[in-house]
Amino acid sequence: MTTNDSHDSIRAVQWQGDRLRLLDQRRLPAEEIWFDCVNSNDVTRAIRDLAVRGAPAIGIAAAWGVVLAAQKGEDLVTAMATLRAARPTAVNLMWALDRMNRGVVAGADAAALETEAQAIQDEDLAANRHMGELGASLIEAGSHVLTHCNTGSLATAGYGTALGVIRAGVAMGNIEQVYAGETRPWQQGARLTMWELVRDGIPAKLIADSAASHLMKDGKVKWVIVGADRIAANGDTANKIGTYQLAIAARHHGVKFMVVAPSTTVDMATATGADIEIELRDATELLSIGGTRTVIEGADAWNPVFDVTPADLIDAIVTERGVILKPDEDQMRILFP
Ligand code: MRU
């Protein structure tokens, strides 16, 4: 156990041999309930309805969905197509299914596919630990930082991407205080990131999303640290809605902006952020809070759940292959030829 492990106690995606157990993120923090998937349709539903969420975690869950499909004798082509359509923005989902499909095409049986899914999960955890160290070493001692959405153990195989940098930064003494934006409408920051940070003993304060510019103007944070759902070939980055406005505010106030994501989030086949499909979710997510309607009946809403931050607003992209400072197409191609 390294020092960093003392701030890392959660594993939300657990393979049980004949079922996939997911810590149900719709219910946290009120209830810690496990959702059991016994076939690939259960996994598709869990991804679509956000029982499991976060780019790396949905890729890992989908890989286990293929294993379940093979174990249960489902039609694998149909199962993989259904899993692929569960959510459109995070490329980790497509990446994981492409990798599993290579096994299927080569004639792998359920046991061999199980080995492959386990490798995808293990590699994600290893990447997160490595990115944690790389990202945290960019941060000067005693810094306060702001994060958005949830990029932690809940969103990955464990440890987290942006939250992994925060875990490592706290362990190294480089991060003294974390601010987490609540992340309306689904409140990943308020419900999930605060749950992880409090459980793992990391000093954290929740802010309303609308308080972020004020926080930066007050000089309270040195870095904004976020994850990604897809990074295009030119470094443009899709992440949770609200990330783009944080990047604009950060640049205006001289605050540094870091994106942390494994290579499985990089999509060199997508030229720019304009080519990334942004998921639109049901208006009801915005018209209610915690299941209680807060807006007049009859009202409509527009609910895009991701946005694109242009590469020129990003100071550093941290991947397990290395750090790209001031990302652009040329810099990206060096690490991702
Ligand atoms: O809609 P979500 O909760 O799946 O969105 C998650 C995010 O936007 C995360 O920031 C991103 O997936 C990186 S998670 C390591």
Side-chain angles (χ1 to χ4, degrees):
M1 180 184 249
T2 68
T3 7
N4 297 356
D5 289 331
S6 59
H7 299 291
D8 175 30
S9 67
I10 302 148
R11 293 292 176 266
V13 179
Q14 297 187 7
W15 177 245
Q16 305 279 304
D18 64 347
R19 65 197 53 230
L20 181 64
R21 303 202 79 193
L22 300 169
L23 183 53
D24 192 335
Q25 304 194 31
R26 298 167 297 188
R27 313 289 280 271
L28 288 171
E31 294 174 303
E32 291 178 28
I33 289 182
W34 292 87
F35 180 82
D36 276 5
C37 302
V38 296
N39 56 44
S40 72
N41 277 333
D42 288 347
V43 178
T44 298
R45 256 195 309 276
I47 294 171
R48 201 182 48 218
D49 298 345
L50 309 182
V52 59
R53 43 133 311 274
I58 65 177
I60 294 162
W64 289 120
V66 177
V67 177
L68 285 171
Q71 286 184 344
K72 302 284 145 82
E74 297 173 27
D75 179 70
L76 290 182
V77 174
T78 307
M80 286 190 285
T82 310
L83 284 161
R84 181 179 285 264
R87 294 189 75 187
T89 305
V91 76
N92 308 59
L93 176 62
M94 295 70 184
W95 174 87
L97 288 167
D98 286 344
R99 179 159 160 182
M100 295 302 286
N101 186 48
R102 285 198 286 279
V104 170
V105 169
D109 61 7
L113 292 172
E114 188 172 344
T115 304
E116 194 66 2
Q118 190 62 56
I120 289 174
Q121 182 154 347
D122 294 346
E123 287 165 23
D124 187 64
L125 182 58
N128 291 339
R129 290 190 187 287
H130 188 44
M131 293 189 296
E133 281 169 20
L134 291 175
S137 56
L138 298 174
I139 298 168
E140 60 189 69
S143 292
H144 293 195
V145 303
L146 170 64
T147 191
H148 189 57
C149 195
N150 172 267
T151 61
S153 294
L154 292 171
T156 63
Y159 202 65
T161 59
L163 224 55
V165 167
I166 287 170
R167 284 192 161 93
V170 169
M172 288 160 67
N174 292 359
I175 295 178
E176 199 168 79
Q177 173 73 50
V178 181
Y179 292 89
E182 63 177 343
T183 319
R184 282 283 293 145
W186 213 69
Q187 295 186 282
Q188 286 93 333
R191 296 193 305 105
L192 307 177
T193 296
M194 289 304 288
W195 183 77
E196 285 200 33
L197 294 175
V198 168
R199 273 180 58 120
D200 283 348
I202 293 174
K205 284 193 209 310
L206 181 68
I207 62 163
D209 294 322
S210 42
S213 295
H214 182 61
L215 179 85
M216 293 184 211
K217 188 179 183 187
D218 263 12
K220 287 217 165 44
V221 290
K222 287 243 166 54
W223 283 89
V224 176
I225 310 175
V226 297
D229 288 83
R230 191 183 294 233
I231 301 177
N234 69 345
D236 289 353
T237 294
N239 191 48
K240 181 52 56 192
I241 192 75
T243 302
Y244 176 35
Q245 65 192 16
L246 292 178
I248 294 170
R251 182 56 55 89
H252 184 76
H253 293 295
V255 172
K256 291 271 176 35
F257 193 88
M258 184 192 300
V259 172
V260 188
S263 54
T264 54
T265 306
V266 173
D267 180 10
M268 294 302 279
T270 293
T272 73
D275 306 309
I276 299 174
E277 183 181 348
I278 299 295
E279 180 181 8
L280 281 176
R281 289 186 69 88
D282 203 283
T284 51
E285 287 183 355
L286 197 51
L287 296 168
S288 24
I289 297 178
T292 305
R293 178 93 185 189
T294 53
V295 183
I296 187 170
E297 288 299 336
D300 199 2
W302 180 57
N303 187 25
V305 300
F306 298 101
D307 58 26
V308 173
T309 300
D312 62 5
L313 292 178
I314 299 170
D315 293 291
I317 294 180
V318 176
T319 78
E320 81 280 14
R321 293 195 194 172
V323 174
I324 302 174
L325 298 175
K326 306 239 169 288
D328 61 17
E329 203 182 326
D330 295 339
Q331 299 286 331
M332 288 289 294
R333 213 173 287 126
I334 294 170
L335 274 194
F336 300 97

